[in-house]
Amino acid sequence: MNKWIEDAVVYQVYPKSFQDSNGDGVGDLRGVISRLDYLKRLGIDVIWLNPVYKNSGVDGGYDISDYRAIAPEFGTMEDFDELLAKAHARGIRIVMDLVVNHTSTEHPWFCASRRDRTNDKRDFYIWRPPYEGGVPNGVRSMFSGTAWEKDEATGEYYLHMFAREQADLNWHNPRVRRAVYDLMRWWLDKGIDGFRMDVINLIGKPEAMLRSDGSPDQNGFNGPLVVDYLREMNREVLSHYDVMTVGETGCVTVEKALEYAPLTGEALSMVFQFEHMDADAGERHKWTTAPLELRKLKTVMARWQTRMHARAWNSLYWCNHDQPRIVSRFGCDTDEESRVRSAKMLGACLHMMQGTPYIYQGEELGMTNYPMKTIEESQDVEAIGAYRELVTERGEMTPEEMMACIRRKGRDNSRTPMQWTAGRNAGFTSGTPWMPVNPNHTEINAEAQVDDPDSVFSFYQRLIALRKAHPVIVHGDFTLLMPDDPQVFAYTRCDGEHTLLVACNFSGEEAKLDAQAATRGERLIGNYEDEGCADTLRAWEARVTLL
Ligand code: GLC
Ligand code: CA
């Protein structure tokens, strides 16, 4: 693993909601350029840019119709080149989203593919005949309903694991893989610094889920060929460049991650695992208002920390464009003091672990969930589909119940505009924003925080600086303390020379520490002014100590 990857802190920019430069209400590349100095000031090393390619507007840019063109709403290729040059001039690298499990149905490959059964792009996608006059089998889309869509031109069905406008590519076809490797080289030759690979462990779909035999739904993640394809991609493309890669891998296990992101470097640099995001999942998976089960969170994170150590590389994240805001989710956003305190505590808890930390835009300000009232306000294909299925079609939940779940877990929460100022539209746009701005931007915004030493922003700045100053944060091993405690998340990191002690209170009530977690040493960072009692954590307190 390259040294720069081990030390790096990544900042995720969702361009549509970051900064609008031309008043059309949609964030764009020139907007990102104008905020590079802000990111430099925060201290991050890498930007992961959500998709900016030409797309059909169904799933926030994850429905690409031209891999080599910038979507007009985001700007031009010249804007992109300028962003890359200006980021590099500031020592910031750029990682692009690579969405190659599927394309938009408007992509020329799909347009050719659907025409007839014999054209040379037919086998670029997954086509199957009907089974007993209906869908080939029970495989379901991640966005609700069947994953098969009938196409009238040939009477066959194509597979779409997401929206019906997102047709899955057939990775078992070597010509598809070659075409993907070509477009990857095209971007890397431009000088970009890597890829975040969308749902990449879906590419090696098991044959059993592709048969037209009426079989029930199956999980398509982690198929037997995923690892072979990743190694081939590494041999053909990645190994020829100095790049950082992170695979988005739903349903990944530690065992699989050891193959997908080994330190030996023959596949990816790291993966995004999702297990810790299930620590507040319920019967209907994400659609619940169930509170966090801290013990579950600790067990999962400790397992990833200890089992990956010295074998594979972790990524660390609380938020992204698919997750709600962490301070509203695992912290407390009901009053200002708790919000600031718990946002800092969550930052410290994550950033002191081993792996590459990812900060999602606005997380460094402690931005919160959005108070959405009705489903009509949602812009998210996932939430709208789930509402239709669970409320309208099946009647399993009342509208009120489902809206409570969407307010807590929906993806719109992270996609409201970045809060730059207390002024009109939070300084995001001079026009009408494509998503409403969170009304709390009058209190929570960058302008109010960048010069305030007690702000969440300043705290994140210091967390990033600590990682650069203390190798134990990058390299130390991990030991969970007080595993059964329902309030406290405490652990040590040790590299043989130094020991770091991290103690976090995931509640608004005082919590007792055991003797080991209460050890005094050199205080590196904390979210209270004074040190307090050694064996007690105050509400939402975080303490990081060098022993
Ligand atoms: C990933 C993306 C998500 C998108 C989906 C389909 O999970 O992060 O935003 O909807 O893939 O591309
Ligand atoms: Ca714009």
Side-chain angles (χ1 to χ4, degrees):
M1 169 93 80
N2 294 346
K3 170 106 176 69
W4 73 264
I5 300 178
E6 288 184 342
D7 295 349
V9 175
V10 183
Y11 188 91
Q12 184 188 349
V13 170
Y14 191 73
K16 205 173 176 185
S17 303
F18 193 57
Q19 177 68 65
D20 177 23
S21 73
N22 62 353
D24 66 356
V26 177
D28 46 49
L29 292 172
R30 301 217 67 82
V32 182
I33 295 174
S34 73
R35 295 299 185 178
L36 284 173
D37 286 331
Y38 168 85
L39 299 179
K40 184 73 202 164
R41 185 160 177 193
L42 181 58
I44 55 95
D45 308 279
V46 179
I47 294 172
W48 150 27
L49 206 56
N50 280 101
V52 290
Y53 315 94
K54 201 164 163 227
N55 65 79
S56 25
V58 171
D59 184 24
Y62 284 92
D63 45 336
I64 297 172
S65 53
D66 186 345
Y67 287 106
R68 290 177 173 84
I70 300 292
E73 66 268 28
F74 293 136
T76 63
M77 194 55 82
E78 287 68 45
D79 294 334
F80 179 82
D81 293 339
E82 188 178 324
L83 170 62
L84 188 61
K86 289 195 165 154
H88 283 171
R90 287 165 177 79
I92 296 176
R93 300 184 205 238
I94 301 233
V95 163
M96 300 280 283
D97 225 297
L98 182 75
V99 190
V100 290
N101 171 68
H102 45 269
T103 72
S104 160
T105 48
E106 288 176 6
H107 192 289
W109 295 340
F110 190 80
C111 297
S113 184
R114 76 176 354 163
R115 217 164 284 148
D116 52 52
R117 289 186 201 191
T118 54
N119 72 78
D120 81 321
K121 291 286 186 302
R122 185 65 171 179
D123 205 27
F124 262 49
Y125 295 85
I126 300 163
W127 293 98
R128 293 293 180 269
Y131 175 74
E132 293 182 346
V135 291
N137 59 42
V139 173
R140 287 173 53 82
S141 151
M142 307 284 292
F143 289 163
S144 310
T146 172
W148 296 99
E149 180 75 7
K150 189 168 186 180
D151 201 48
E152 289 310 327
T154 56
E156 289 195 327
Y157 288 81
Y158 66 87
L159 183 76
H160 62 88
M161 292 305 294
F162 295 89
R164 65 164 68 85
E165 297 85 351
Q166 293 167 298
D168 280 50
L169 283 165
N170 175 18
W171 270 72
H172 304 311
N173 178 351
R175 289 174 57 225
V176 166
R177 305 206 295 277
R178 231 171 295 136
V180 169
Y181 302 157
D182 278 349
L183 76 89
M184 290 174 71
R185 282 189 207 98
W186 190 86
W187 281 98
L188 292 167
D189 289 339
K190 245 184 189 305
I192 67 160
D193 303 286
F195 292 109
R196 174 267 186 190
M197 302 182 184
D198 194 56
V199 290
I200 201 66
N201 58 336
L202 261 184
I203 57 177
K205 294 178 185 69
E207 273 308 320
M209 74 180 280
L210 303 178
R211 282 187 217 127
S212 186
D213 61 359
S215 52
D217 187 21
Q218 296 185 39
N219 182 334
F221 288 101
N222 304 312
L225 287 172
V226 174
V227 131
D228 293 344
Y229 294 158
L230 290 178
R231 288 187 187 145
E232 179 184 87
M233 178 196 277
N234 184 292
R235 268 196 317 275
E236 296 284 323
V237 187
L238 302 172
S239 60
H240 304 278
Y241 301 84
D242 177 21
V243 288
M244 179 180 129
T245 51
V246 48
E248 188 210 21
T249 48
C251 303
V252 73
T253 56
V254 173
E255 286 64 40
K256 282 289 166 191
L258 292 173
E259 292 181 34
Y260 296 160
L263 289 184
T264 42
E266 68 265 14
L268 303 176
S269 319
M270 66 193 101
V271 297
F272 288 132
Q273 57 89 10
F274 282 77
E275 269 192 89
H276 69 307
M277 293 280 100
D278 287 344
D280 58 357
E283 211 178 293
R284 285 189 194 85
H285 199 60
K286 80 182 264 182
W287 301 119
T288 167
T289 53
L292 166 68
E293 261 189 68
L294 184 65
R295 269 176 290 216
K296 196 165 160 193
L297 182 73
K298 293 196 290 188
T299 309
V300 167
M301 293 190 96
R303 173 154 37 81
W304 280 85
Q305 287 286 303
T306 50
R307 307 247 340 252
M308 297 280 275
H309 181 72
R311 301 170 75 189
W313 195 250
N314 275 300
S315 68
L316 305 170
Y317 74 94
W318 287 137
C319 301
N320 60 42
H321 64 293
D322 295 327
Q323 299 293 339
R325 295 284 177 182
I326 199 64
V327 69
S328 306
R329 184 179 185 182
F330 293 173
C332 175
D333 66 3
T334 50
D335 65 279
E336 183 61 5
E337 190 183 334
S338 308
R339 183 188 68 81
V340 172
R341 204 83 80 187
S342 62
K344 292 176 181 174
M345 181 279 289
L346 288 160
C349 183
L350 190 76
H351 280 244
M352 294 299 113
M353 291 188 194
Q354 184 168 41
T356 301
Y358 287 73
I359 301 168
Y360 179 70
Q361 64 186 44
E363 181 182 343
E364 77 282 15
L365 305 175
M367 272 176 64
T368 67
N369 279 353
Y370 177 76
M372 180 176 287
K373 290 193 192 67
T374 64
I375 191 67
E376 285 69 39
E377 283 179 74
S378 177
Q379 303 266 4
D380 175 20
V381 60
E382 182 191 49
I384 295 167
Y387 186 98
R388 189 177 49 234
E389 185 166 293
L390 295 170
V391 178
T392 318
E393 287 168 15
R394 295 203 206 145
E396 284 179 29
M397 280 200 233
T398 65
E400 293 71 31
E401 282 165 346
M402 187 60 188
M403 284 316 295
C405 297
I406 290 176
R407 269 194 299 278
R408 193 165 168 81
K409 299 298 239 348
R411 307 195 299 179
D412 294 294
N413 287 307
S414 53
R415 300 177 183 186
T416 62
M418 177 73 176
Q419 292 166 208
W420 296 106
T421 70
R424 190 166 161 260
N425 297 327
F428 164 70
T429 179
S430 58
T432 308
W434 75 277
M435 271 282 282
V437 173
N438 195 314
N440 66 19
H441 72 275
T442 46
E443 282 82 48
I444 306 171
N445 61 75
E447 198 177 38
Q449 294 196 25
V450 285
D451 292 319
D452 172 3
D454 292 329
S455 66
V456 180
F457 179 90
S458 298
F459 194 86
Y460 266 77
Q461 234 178 1
R462 279 155 57 213
L463 289 174
I464 297 169
L466 281 175
R467 177 167 288 265
K468 315 283 176 205
H470 297 278
V472 64
I473 300 175
V474 177
H475 300 289
D477 63 12
F478 178 100
T479 306
L480 184 67
L481 308 180
M482 305 173 63
D484 298 323
D485 192 280
Q487 270 173 290
V488 174
F489 196 153
Y491 58 88
T492 56
R493 302 283 315 282
C494 184
D495 65 2
E497 210 179 319
H498 297 285
T499 299
L500 191 76
L501 169 63
V502 181
C504 298
N505 182 356
F506 272 67
S507 82
E509 278 97 59
E510 274 193 3
K512 283 282 170 218
L513 295 175
D514 71 10
Q516 204 185 353
T519 315
R520 287 281 198 201
E522 180 196 341
R523 174 178 146 117
L524 290 187
I525 193 168
N527 60 354
Y528 277 80
E529 248 165 64
D530 60 288
E531 293 198 22
C533 279
D535 70 348
T536 311
L537 287 177
R538 290 159 282 187
W540 305 109
E541 182 165 8
R543 264 184 221 163
V544 180
T545 313
L546 202 56
L547 301 181

